[in-house]
Amino acid sequence: MRALLLYLAHNEGFKNLMLKFGVFRRLAWRFVAGETLEDAVRVVKEANRQAVRATLDLLGENTLSLDDAQSATREIIGILDRIRSEHVDCNVSVKLTQLGLDLDAKQCLGNLSSIVAHARQLGIFVRVDMEDSSYTDRTLEIVRRVYTEMDNVGTVLQTCLYRSESDARALVHQGIRIRLCKGAYLEPDTVAFRKKSDTDAGFVRIMKILLDSGLYHAIATHDETMIAATKEYAASRNVPRDRFEFQMLYGIRRDLQQQLARGGYIVRIYIPYGSRWYPYLMRRLAERPANVLFIARNILRG
Ligand code: FDA
């Protein structure tokens, strides 16, 4: 089921079919703040009121033209200005394929540099999301290059990939801040663990590398076992609660977000917005088949 949904995340025919169903669109608003920056800022403010920080993601990936990549860059720079003018506790997350990685790596590097430079003037951090494993090398290369000039940029590692433990050691050595997650893409077993238990074991191993590094990293998961392991390890190594943060996705386990924030941990939620929400929603559905049954039941009922 997971593999099928992740395959359909890039299928235009299926997308056009699903967009005809109101229930599919309605489910999107559980995971996506809305279509406009106004909607997103409203959700950021609501999170901040609950002592939860935010990171904003302008949805859109695999941009098809360099003009589109440039307009996405301008739009993200606009988000940074809005974050400052609203005085909200928020940073941004970006995807390199939205900034033109599939089309021209040099221009993509230029676009990311413009965003990070603007963010730096405003004192805002920029997180480069990690896409599927065909992009890992290129993403790390571009992040490293930008980081040598500006240190307000970091990236993401996925514990489903065999390579991530060694990537974590190398990035930490360079001082680059990491968001650790399990990985949301369909990967071949030449590069990724098949079994959830192996991905989870990798998560714990890499979490320890991150917490031991002395840098400020993000542990991104809704998995209570991973969260408990992180809390326990941090306590055993005397890593203070303000030296790392937990991150979760908008619309998932709000109870747990609140519980952690009330327990004195730093919590940040990832808030996506924009009209290009289809692949993002499909990845969220792939993580939880119960969401798919909900849609199927509603469609069958007519
Ligand atoms: P797991 O999938 O084991 O889920 C644990 C529990 O969480 C489930 O039992 C359920 O209760 C709840 N849950 C998880 N997903 C749910 C869903 N969709 N709907 C309802 N409940 C759900 N991936 C990536 O490849 N590149 C990236 O850059 C990022 N960025 C990122 C940022 C942030 C802040 C988060 C939290 C996650 C990502 N991810 C990501 C996604 C990540 O790789 C992973 O797919 C999801 O976080 C789900 O994995 P969990 O760690 O939550 O565990």
Side-chain angles (χ1 to χ4, degrees):
M1 172 71 95
R2 178 170 185 265
L4 177 66
L5 288 166
L6 290 175
Y7 165 76
L8 292 172
H10 296 283
N11 184 298
E12 279 297 307
F14 188 75
K15 171 181 162 185
N16 294 333
L17 172 70
M18 291 312 286
L19 291 181
K20 293 192 178 125
F21 296 108
V23 59
F24 187 71
R25 289 175 168 279
R26 280 195 301 280
L27 190 66
W29 307 131
R30 188 184 144 189
F31 299 105
V32 175
E35 297 220 341
T36 67
L37 182 55
E38 284 319 304
D39 297 325
V41 168
R42 196 176 13 84
V43 174
V44 171
K45 287 183 175 170
E46 169 65 26
N48 284 181
R49 270 195 293 275
Q50 313 277 332
V52 169
R53 301 177 188 192
T55 183
L56 273 180
D57 166 43
L58 170 65
L59 289 165
E61 51 202 78
N62 302 104
T63 294
L64 294 174
S65 78
L66 288 173
D67 281 349
D68 287 350
Q70 272 184 353
S71 39
T73 303
R74 282 193 296 274
E75 214 172 325
I76 294 166
I77 287 174
I79 299 176
L80 295 168
D81 288 332
R82 187 71 189 272
I83 288 174
R84 247 325 130 255
S85 69
E86 295 280 355
H87 305 290
V88 283
D89 193 337
C90 184
N91 61 36
V92 293
S93 293
V94 302
K95 286 190 175 52
L96 292 190
T97 64
Q98 184 175 30
L99 305 183
L101 185 59
D102 285 324
L103 308 164
D104 183 335
K106 212 164 150 201
Q107 287 212 31
C108 175
L109 170 68
N111 288 339
L112 180 67
S113 298
S114 310
I115 292 169
V116 177
H118 195 79
R120 192 172 189 224
Q121 283 171 4
L122 300 174
I124 300 175
F125 182 75
V126 177
R127 177 80 59 187
V128 177
D129 286 350
M130 190 57 79
E131 299 174 71
D132 71 60
S133 61
S134 67
Y135 296 108
T136 312
D137 277 326
R138 286 176 284 168
T139 302
L140 295 183
E141 168 65 17
I142 289 179
V143 169
R144 283 189 170 109
R145 287 183 64 177
V146 175
Y147 180 82
T148 55
E149 309 275 319
M150 298 171 276
D151 65 3
N152 59 317
V153 67
T155 190
V156 177
L157 289 179
Q158 299 145 323
T159 68
C160 66
L161 298 186
Y162 305 139
R163 60 177 289 168
S164 290
E165 191 169 339
S166 94
D167 285 335
R169 290 186 200 284
L171 290 167
V172 157
H173 183 69
Q174 288 172 280
I176 298 178
R177 290 166 52 180
I178 293 167
R179 171 200 294 151
L180 189 65
C181 68
K182 292 190 186 179
Y185 295 85
L186 185 58
E187 301 289 359
D189 50 15
T190 46
V191 300
F193 298 116
R194 274 286 132 250
K195 289 199 281 184
K196 176 177 157 50
S197 56
D198 290 333
T199 295
D200 290 355
F203 197 104
V204 174
R205 280 196 306 276
I206 302 176
M207 172 273 287
K208 291 180 178 176
I209 296 170
L210 301 190
L211 291 192
D212 284 342
S213 72
L215 300 171
Y216 185 93
H217 298 290
I219 306 299
T221 182
H222 318 90
D223 184 334
E224 295 192 45
T225 310
M226 300 299 111
I227 291 171
T230 306
K231 285 164 133 180
E232 197 181 310
Y233 191 70
S236 73
R237 308 290 284 187
N238 294 319
V239 179
R241 292 179 187 194
D242 61 356
R243 289 305 303 147
F244 66 97
E245 65 186 37
F246 286 110
Q247 294 191 352
M248 293 190 206
L249 300 173
Y250 173 67
I252 302 179
R253 294 302 310 265
R254 204 167 157 184
D255 56 330
L256 195 51
Q257 296 165 19
Q258 286 299 306
Q259 194 185 312
L260 286 167
R262 277 197 298 268
Y265 292 96
I266 297 176
V267 180
R268 186 181 302 276
I269 49 166
Y270 183 104
I271 302 174
Y273 82 94
S275 54
R276 299 183 58 195
W277 45 261
Y278 172 78
Y280 180 84
L281 176 62
M282 291 300 281
R283 286 197 291 277
R284 300 296 74 85
L285 296 183
E287 285 155 2
R288 198 146 185 266
N291 293 332
V292 181
L293 291 177
F294 171 78
I295 294 181
R297 264 201 306 271
N298 276 273
I299 290 177
L300 289 174
R301 266 191 221 135

